Amino acid sequence: MRSTGGLLSHTPPPTPGITIGREAAREAARRELSKPAYHENDPGLLQRVLNRFWDWVGDLFDRASGATPGGTLGLLAIALFLLLVLAALWWRLGAPRRTATSASGTLFDTGTRSAADHRAAAAALAGEGRWSEAVQERMRAVVRSLEERTLLDPRPGRTADEAAAEAAVSLPSHATALRTAARTFDDVTYGAHPATPEMYATLTTLDEALSHTKPTGPTP
């Protein structure tokens, strides 16, 4: 301490420097950057997933274009060919509406109606041009008639395929027609194939033929 012109002059001691370790600094920065204010404009989870997916698709095409003869043009030709194949399968097989449960769906809806009831419903639907529903009702009439004649045991949950296979045992001469009828029912009901008047006529002919056919094989 010294006096200059009668005034005291005091110099404060230097402030010691603040030191912080690397890990502590990183943790402080992480806490700061994790605050919501820094992330208001970040993309959502779905957007991030989509961005990663499209990045992956882009990388896949880049690698494929380098490995495909003709480069990008060759890759586009292959993609177009695959699309044509898928379109052809869609047209041939119909919309893939079958699921693991519906593929084995039962033949009858809830409630029990006689074969005559199903025939009457089928005829009414056919008269309105509702061929898909008419085909379904006619197939139900076929199976219900076989149950009424004790050629099939009444069994809830039976499918059209199962009914055709069981009926073919006692009616072997109609085995092929029964299998075709069951396939038609499944295609119309579960395969999204629209029925036609010819399908309905075929089922009607089978129904009438079966009603006049005596069993020649073992019956249940």
Side-chain angles (χ1 to χ4, degrees):
M1 179 182 297
R2 64 188 177 195
S3 175
T4 303
L7 296 176
L8 294 177
S9 173
H10 180 270
T11 302
T15 302
I18 299 175
T19 60
I20 183 171
R22 180 180 300 176
E23 293 299 325
R26 182 181 299 134
E27 179 62 22
R30 186 192 64 77
R31 287 197 301 269
E32 178 66 21
L33 293 176
S34 66
K35 294 180 179 179
Y38 293 99
H39 302 278
E40 292 179 352
N41 298 319
D42 286 357
L45 176 60
L46 177 60
Q47 185 61 47
R48 293 198 300 271
V49 171
L50 289 175
N51 289 341
R52 292 199 174 198
F53 171 75
W54 288 120
D55 289 342
W56 175 79
V57 170
D59 292 340
L60 182 65
F61 269 79
D62 289 340
R63 291 194 298 269
S65 62
T68 304
T72 303
L73 289 178
L75 183 62
L76 290 176
I78 293 175
L80 179 60
F81 173 76
L82 291 176
L83 287 175
L84 290 175
V85 170
L86 290 175
L89 289 174
W90 188 283
W91 177 81
R92 178 66 180 85
L93 301 177
R97 292 187 182 178
R98 290 194 183 191
T99 62
T101 54
S102 66
S104 58
T106 58
L107 180 65
F108 293 101
D109 299 327
T110 56
T112 302
R113 291 184 291 165
S114 67
D117 291 336
H118 286 294
R119 289 189 185 106
L125 291 165
E128 298 174 5
R130 298 162 62 181
W131 299 111
S132 294
E133 296 164 277
V135 161
Q136 292 169 333
E137 285 299 311
R138 200 74 198 200
M139 183 61 188
R140 291 171 181 139
V142 168
V143 177
R144 185 67 78 205
S145 176
L146 295 175
E147 291 177 350
E148 291 173 353
R149 295 171 60 195
T150 67
L151 299 181
L152 286 178
D153 288 328
R155 178 163 58 84
R158 176 185 276 125
T159 66
D161 290 330
E162 291 171 344
E166 294 168 17
V169 175
S170 56
L171 299 166
S173 61
H174 294 284
T176 300
L178 284 164
R179 285 194 298 269
T180 300
R183 190 180 308 115
T184 298
F185 178 88
D186 286 344
D187 288 343
V188 168
T189 305
Y190 309 117
H193 284 280
T196 63
E198 292 75 20
M199 291 178 180
Y200 178 74
T202 299
L203 269 169
T204 300
T205 300
L206 175 63
D207 187 19
E208 294 172 351
L210 290 175
S211 64
H212 295 96
T213 301
K214 293 182 179 180
T216 57
T219 57

